[in-house]
Amino acid sequence: MTSGSPTSRDGSFAYQLVADALRREIRSGTRRPGERLPTQGELVDRFGVSRATVSQALSLLRKERLIVTRQGSGSVVASGPGGGRAQPAATESSEDDGAWAVVSEHVTPVLLKPYLVEAFEASVVRLDVFSMTTESLAARVVDQKDRIVAKEIPAPRSITARLLLPDTGSTALAIPRQVAERDDPRVRARLGGILHSHVTMLRNALFELRRLRLVEEVDVQVRLVPFSPQVKLYILNNRVVLQGFYIPEEGVATLPDGEEVATYDAYGTGATLYPFRASADSTPEQAGVVRAARMFFDANWDALAAPADF
């Protein structure tokens, strides 16, 4: 999926900047539930963009369920969970005990592919990833390499990838493990083989771009931590964070010798992710999620991870 909208200097698409501005107005309460948005023509004049760009921005807000569009009536602010300002809601506790639950803003789960498509259309690509195997990422990176080779998109000036993965030599991994016992080296070795094959796929794809002299600077670093990640984390170009969860499930794994064993494992391939974006007009809270994710990744990378030789 390639956007036809031009990009700004910080690598974001024009339709995203339009959507960000309207989203902030809706969530701040400036635009109330049920209020009609300006017409597409008025938004074209306001933002100085094309009608196609405005259409893309409105489509994004519809997917987030912030607006509703009716044929012939234009778009209005939704009155459902996404529209309007988030309000505190009292819990079953008494009002005097100070306990409140906050109704969170609606965050639509997404897939990795469209966000990686966007990331590779920037001139400087940076991928910081904390995951179990990079299986989902490797396949998507190969897709982007193919787009660059086919000249479907301009080649970036540089691509940097930092991959933070579990050390399959560590007996402390919570998952994967056999149901019947705490640790089985064969189960960890199986994970190691899967991990190694997908990291190799990703590295080969990116370094092929350098070999073909399409991308001048390519850097791929891998570090290992002695524990299983419980959260799948992608930080794309330091601006977009995608976060998912590894939920342990009981399943059956086939070991290299053909034996099948019951295991606890987490299956992240194709999983939906929750997106957060730090844009030019983000609130401190929105930008704070991205900033905290970067601090989390850097702390694990610098203090707890050891370099891996791939």
Side-chain angles (χ1 to χ4, degrees):
M1 182 178 73
T2 304
S3 168
S5 298
T7 55
S8 66
R9 289 185 177 180
D10 66 356
S12 57
F13 290 111
Y15 79 89
Q16 293 165 345
L17 300 180
V18 174
D20 287 342
L22 295 175
R23 187 187 298 110
R24 183 174 63 175
E25 293 173 1
I26 293 170
R27 288 181 170 166
S28 68
T30 302
R31 296 190 182 278
R32 309 298 300 173
E35 179 181 340
R36 191 179 307 280
L37 265 64
T39 66
Q40 288 198 19
E42 290 169 336
L43 292 173
V44 166
D45 292 339
R46 172 184 169 183
F47 293 102
V49 296
S50 69
R51 187 173 290 270
T53 295
V54 168
S55 180
Q56 282 184 286
L58 296 178
S59 177
L60 180 58
L61 296 179
R62 280 195 297 272
K63 289 178 182 177
E64 296 174 1
R65 292 192 284 181
L66 289 171
I67 66 171
V68 177
T69 302
R70 299 182 180 89
Q71 188 68 29
S73 301
S75 298
V76 299
V77 178
S79 57
R85 180 193 296 271
Q87 298 291 338
T91 65
E92 294 181 359
S93 306
S94 70
E95 293 185 1
D96 296 330
D97 64 8
W100 292 82
V102 176
V103 179
S104 64
E105 294 184 7
H106 180 78
V107 180
T108 305
V110 299
L111 296 177
L112 173 61
K113 181 178 179 179
Y115 284 85
L116 206 61
V117 166
E118 173 192 325
F120 269 79
E121 292 177 354
S123 59
V124 176
V125 177
R126 183 181 180 95
L127 313 175
D128 288 338
V129 179
F130 188 18
S131 74
M132 189 72 76
T133 65
T134 73
E135 183 173 356
S136 300
L137 178 68
R140 302 287 79 80
V141 166
V142 170
D143 291 342
Q144 301 316 305
K145 181 266 295 184
D146 291 341
R147 295 175 71 216
I148 294 170
V149 172
K151 301 189 184 305
E152 294 178 11
I153 58 173
R157 292 199 309 270
S158 67
I159 302 175
T160 302
R162 295 192 298 173
L163 310 178
L164 195 58
L165 303 166
D167 181 357
T168 57
S170 171
T171 60
L173 295 189
I175 54 173
R177 67 176 177 86
Q178 272 208 54
V179 172
E181 57 184 272
R182 186 66 183 172
D183 177 63
D184 185 336
R186 300 174 301 165
V187 174
R188 289 188 283 107
R190 175 178 177 272
L191 172 64
I194 296 171
L195 183 155
H196 192 279
S197 66
H198 289 101
V199 170
T200 300
M201 180 192 305
L202 184 150
R203 282 174 51 87
N204 289 347
L206 294 182
F207 282 115
E208 182 180 353
L209 292 172
R210 190 175 71 179
R211 181 183 64 80
L212 296 173
R213 298 184 178 179
L214 294 172
V215 179
E216 182 178 349
E217 299 178 22
V218 174
D219 182 30
V220 180
Q221 299 180 49
V222 183
R223 292 190 182 182
L224 306 178
V225 289
F227 52 86
S228 307
Q230 307 233 295
V231 175
K232 173 183 285 195
L233 181 67
Y234 300 97
I235 306 174
L236 309 179
N237 296 348
N238 278 331
R239 296 181 61 253
V240 173
V241 165
L242 305 176
Q243 175 183 304
F245 299 93
Y246 285 112
I247 301 174
E249 300 177 32
E250 188 171 340
V252 176
T254 303
L255 301 179
D257 61 6
E259 180 183 355
E260 294 186 342
V261 296
T263 60
Y264 288 119
D265 206 341
Y267 307 95
T269 305
T272 52
L273 303 161
Y274 295 91
F276 303 90
R277 183 185 298 272
S279 59
D281 62 350
S282 293
T283 66
E285 292 78 12
Q286 291 167 329
V289 173
V290 176
R291 188 179 304 112
R294 291 185 349 215
M295 292 173 60
F296 170 82
F297 184 92
D298 287 340
N300 279 280
W301 182 269
D302 294 334
L304 302 181
D309 182 17
F310 278 89

